mmCIF file of all heavy atoms in Angstrom:
data_model
loop_
_atom_site.group_PDB
_atom_site.id
_atom_site.type_symbol
_atom_site.label_atom_id
_atom_site.label_comp_id
_atom_site.label_asym_id
_atom_site.label_seq_id
_atom_site.Cartn_x
_atom_site.Cartn_y
_atom_site.Cartn_z
ATOM 1 N N ARG A 17 119.010 157.862 138.695
ATOM 2 C CA ARG A 17 119.242 156.503 138.878
ATOM 3 C C ARG A 17 118.066 155.726 139.441
ATOM 4 O O ARG A 17 117.899 154.502 139.272
ATOM 5 C CB ARG A 17 120.439 156.249 139.848
ATOM 6 C CG ARG A 17 121.811 156.864 139.458
ATOM 7 C CD ARG A 17 122.800 156.617 140.381
ATOM 8 N NE ARG A 17 123.402 155.288 140.399
ATOM 9 C CZ ARG A 17 123.975 154.674 139.513
ATOM 10 N NH1 ARG A 17 124.327 155.308 138.340
ATOM 11 N NH2 ARG A 17 124.440 153.441 139.577
ATOM 12 N N ALA A 108 130.597 144.142 132.681
ATOM 13 C CA ALA A 108 131.489 145.327 132.539
ATOM 14 C C ALA A 108 130.798 146.573 132.825
ATOM 15 O O ALA A 108 131.175 147.470 133.352
ATOM 16 C CB ALA A 108 132.111 145.256 131.205
ATOM 17 N N LEU A 109 129.473 146.642 132.142
ATOM 18 C CA LEU A 109 128.763 147.899 132.379
ATOM 19 C C LEU A 109 128.297 148.032 133.851
ATOM 20 O O LEU A 109 128.297 149.184 134.481
ATOM 21 C CB LEU A 109 127.466 147.853 131.523
ATOM 22 C CG LEU A 109 127.605 147.899 130.002
ATOM 23 C CD1 LEU A 109 126.543 147.606 129.190
ATOM 24 C CD2 LEU A 109 128.286 149.275 129.680
ATOM 25 N N LEU A 110 127.853 146.930 134.493
ATOM 26 C CA LEU A 110 127.493 147.039 135.919
ATOM 27 C C LEU A 110 128.717 147.347 136.773
ATOM 28 O O LEU A 110 128.487 148.142 137.758
ATOM 29 C CB LEU A 110 126.892 145.693 136.372
ATOM 30 C CG LEU A 110 125.564 145.376 135.833
ATOM 31 C CD1 LEU A 110 125.090 143.904 136.113
ATOM 32 C CD2 LEU A 110 124.402 146.409 136.354
ATOM 33 N N GLU A 111 129.840 146.845 136.462
ATOM 34 C CA GLU A 111 131.036 147.160 137.218
ATOM 35 C C GLU A 111 131.429 148.643 137.074
ATOM 36 O O GLU A 111 131.795 149.360 138.109
ATOM 37 C CB GLU A 111 132.247 146.307 136.888
ATOM 38 C CG GLU A 111 132.018 144.873 137.347
ATOM 39 C CD GLU A 111 133.155 143.989 136.736
ATOM 40 O OE1 GLU A 111 133.592 144.188 135.550
ATOM 41 O OE2 GLU A 111 133.381 142.920 137.462
ATOM 42 N N ALA A 112 131.239 149.198 135.876
ATOM 43 C CA ALA A 112 131.469 150.600 135.686
ATOM 44 C C ALA A 112 130.501 151.484 136.511
ATOM 45 O O ALA A 112 130.816 152.529 137.108
ATOM 46 C CB ALA A 112 131.473 150.970 134.240
ATOM 47 N N ASP A 113 129.251 151.053 136.438
ATOM 48 C CA ASP A 113 128.147 151.706 137.210
ATOM 49 C C ASP A 113 128.360 151.670 138.672
ATOM 50 O O ASP A 113 128.273 152.602 139.349
ATOM 51 C CB ASP A 113 126.771 151.130 136.849
ATOM 52 C CG ASP A 113 125.631 151.986 137.040
ATOM 53 O OD1 ASP A 113 125.836 153.174 137.035
ATOM 54 O OD2 ASP A 113 124.618 151.420 137.415
ATOM 55 N N LEU A 114 128.927 150.519 139.125
ATOM 56 C CA LEU A 114 129.121 150.304 140.459
ATOM 57 C C LEU A 114 130.352 151.254 140.929
ATOM 58 O O LEU A 114 130.307 151.883 142.025
ATOM 59 C CB LEU A 114 129.517 148.838 140.800
ATOM 60 C CG LEU A 114 129.641 148.450 142.176
ATOM 61 C CD1 LEU A 114 128.376 148.728 143.073
ATOM 62 C CD2 LEU A 114 129.988 146.783 142.281
ATOM 63 N N ASP A 115 131.298 151.405 140.160
ATOM 64 C CA ASP A 115 132.385 152.347 140.404
ATOM 65 C C ASP A 115 131.826 153.657 140.452
ATOM 66 O O ASP A 115 132.300 154.527 141.369
ATOM 67 C CB ASP A 115 133.456 152.345 139.252
ATOM 68 C CG ASP A 115 134.386 151.063 139.316
ATOM 69 O OD1 ASP A 115 134.369 150.365 140.271
ATOM 70 O OD2 ASP A 115 134.972 150.813 138.225
ATOM 71 N N GLU A 116 130.895 154.120 139.716
ATOM 72 C CA GLU A 116 130.232 155.474 139.718
ATOM 73 C C GLU A 116 129.472 155.610 141.072
ATOM 74 O O GLU A 116 129.659 156.570 141.801
ATOM 75 C CB GLU A 116 129.367 155.679 138.598
ATOM 76 C CG GLU A 116 128.841 156.991 138.469
ATOM 77 C CD GLU A 116 127.968 157.202 137.158
ATOM 78 O OE1 GLU A 116 128.358 156.747 136.093
ATOM 79 O OE2 GLU A 116 126.787 157.649 137.453
ATOM 80 N N ILE A 117 128.758 154.560 141.406
ATOM 81 C CA ILE A 117 127.999 154.623 142.710
ATOM 82 C C ILE A 117 129.005 154.806 143.861
ATOM 83 O O ILE A 117 128.794 155.556 144.787
ATOM 84 C CB ILE A 117 127.152 153.330 142.880
ATOM 85 C CG1 ILE A 117 125.960 153.438 141.873
ATOM 86 C CG2 ILE A 117 126.680 153.310 144.355
ATOM 87 C CD1 ILE A 117 125.269 151.980 141.849
ATOM 88 N N GLU A 118 130.046 154.014 143.818
ATOM 89 C CA GLU A 118 131.102 154.121 144.952
ATOM 90 C C GLU A 118 131.714 155.467 145.019
ATOM 91 O O GLU A 118 132.026 156.026 146.029
ATOM 92 C CB GLU A 118 132.099 152.967 144.811
ATOM 93 C CG GLU A 118 131.556 151.637 145.073
ATOM 94 C CD GLU A 118 132.406 150.420 144.760
ATOM 95 O OE1 GLU A 118 133.425 150.655 144.050
ATOM 96 O OE2 GLU A 118 132.082 149.324 145.094
ATOM 97 N N GLY A 119 131.907 156.101 143.767
ATOM 98 C CA GLY A 119 132.421 157.482 143.775
ATOM 99 C C GLY A 119 131.472 158.382 144.412
ATOM 100 O O GLY A 119 131.898 159.346 145.172
ATOM 101 N N GLY A 120 130.143 158.227 144.147
ATOM 102 C CA GLY A 120 129.091 159.107 144.786
ATOM 103 C C GLY A 120 129.092 158.952 146.260
ATOM 104 O O GLY A 120 128.922 159.850 146.974
ATOM 105 N N ILE A 121 129.262 157.660 146.798
ATOM 106 C CA ILE A 121 129.310 157.386 148.155
ATOM 107 C C ILE A 121 130.558 158.115 148.807
ATOM 108 O O ILE A 121 130.493 158.764 149.853
ATOM 109 C CB ILE A 121 129.347 155.860 148.498
ATOM 110 C CG1 ILE A 121 128.084 155.250 148.050
ATOM 111 C CG2 ILE A 121 129.757 155.645 149.908
ATOM 112 C CD1 ILE A 121 128.036 153.789 148.223
ATOM 113 N N ARG A 122 131.750 157.953 148.162
ATOM 114 C CA ARG A 122 132.832 158.704 148.680
ATOM 115 C C ARG A 122 132.639 160.256 148.795
ATOM 116 O O ARG A 122 133.021 160.848 149.747
ATOM 117 C CB ARG A 122 134.107 158.410 147.867
ATOM 118 C CG ARG A 122 134.724 157.070 148.127
ATOM 119 C CD ARG A 122 136.097 156.839 147.422
ATOM 120 N NE ARG A 122 136.023 156.954 146.004
ATOM 121 C CZ ARG A 122 135.565 155.917 145.145
ATOM 122 N NH1 ARG A 122 135.310 154.725 145.668
ATOM 123 N NH2 ARG A 122 135.685 156.191 143.860
ATOM 124 N N HIS A 141 123.867 150.449 145.792
ATOM 125 C CA HIS A 141 125.185 149.826 145.917
ATOM 126 C C HIS A 141 125.018 148.338 146.333
ATOM 127 O O HIS A 141 125.823 147.533 145.689
ATOM 128 C CB HIS A 141 126.081 150.537 146.878
ATOM 129 C CG HIS A 141 127.482 150.060 147.035
ATOM 130 N ND1 HIS A 141 127.740 149.229 147.930
ATOM 131 C CD2 HIS A 141 128.470 150.285 146.253
ATOM 132 C CE1 HIS A 141 129.116 148.845 147.872
ATOM 133 N NE2 HIS A 141 129.545 149.488 146.879
ATOM 134 N N GLN A 144 123.511 146.324 143.222
ATOM 135 C CA GLN A 144 124.435 146.366 142.207
ATOM 136 C C GLN A 144 125.618 145.361 142.581
ATOM 137 O O GLN A 144 126.036 144.645 141.755
ATOM 138 C CB GLN A 144 125.016 147.624 141.930
ATOM 139 C CG GLN A 144 125.593 147.797 140.586
ATOM 140 C CD GLN A 144 124.624 148.374 139.593
ATOM 141 O OE1 GLN A 144 123.446 148.514 139.851
ATOM 142 N NE2 GLN A 144 125.207 148.766 138.400
ATOM 143 N N THR A 145 126.056 145.356 143.748
ATOM 144 C CA THR A 145 127.166 144.507 144.272
ATOM 145 C C THR A 145 126.652 143.066 144.163
ATOM 146 O O THR A 145 127.393 142.172 143.667
ATOM 147 C CB THR A 145 127.656 144.834 145.664
ATOM 148 O OG1 THR A 145 128.121 146.159 145.759
ATOM 149 C CG2 THR A 145 128.640 143.963 146.099
ATOM 150 N N VAL A 148 126.504 141.997 140.498
ATOM 151 C CA VAL A 148 127.891 141.804 140.019
ATOM 152 C C VAL A 148 128.480 140.497 140.442
ATOM 153 O O VAL A 148 129.003 139.599 139.718
ATOM 154 C CB VAL A 148 128.790 143.053 140.318
ATOM 155 C CG1 VAL A 148 130.335 142.696 140.190
ATOM 156 C CG2 VAL A 148 128.399 144.121 139.523
ATOM 157 N N ARG A 152 129.441 137.196 138.202
ATOM 158 C CA ARG A 152 130.762 136.571 138.037
ATOM 159 C C ARG A 152 130.662 135.108 138.354
ATOM 160 O O ARG A 152 131.405 134.298 137.749
ATOM 161 C CB ARG A 152 131.668 137.287 139.238
ATOM 162 C CG ARG A 152 132.021 138.693 138.794
ATOM 163 C CD ARG A 152 132.857 139.338 139.858
ATOM 164 N NE ARG A 152 133.218 140.643 139.581
ATOM 165 C CZ ARG A 152 133.498 141.612 140.470
ATOM 166 N NH1 ARG A 152 133.414 141.303 141.743
ATOM 167 N NH2 ARG A 152 133.863 142.801 140.039
#
Side-chain angles (χ1 to χ4, degrees):
R17 298 177 75 68
L109 292 170
L110 288 171
E111 287 171 332
D113 202 31
L114 191 55
D115 287 344
E116 187 177 313
I117 292 171
E118 289 169 350
I121 290 172
R122 285 190 298 276
H141 183 263
Q144 197 98 347
T145 299
V148 163
R152 286 177 182 155

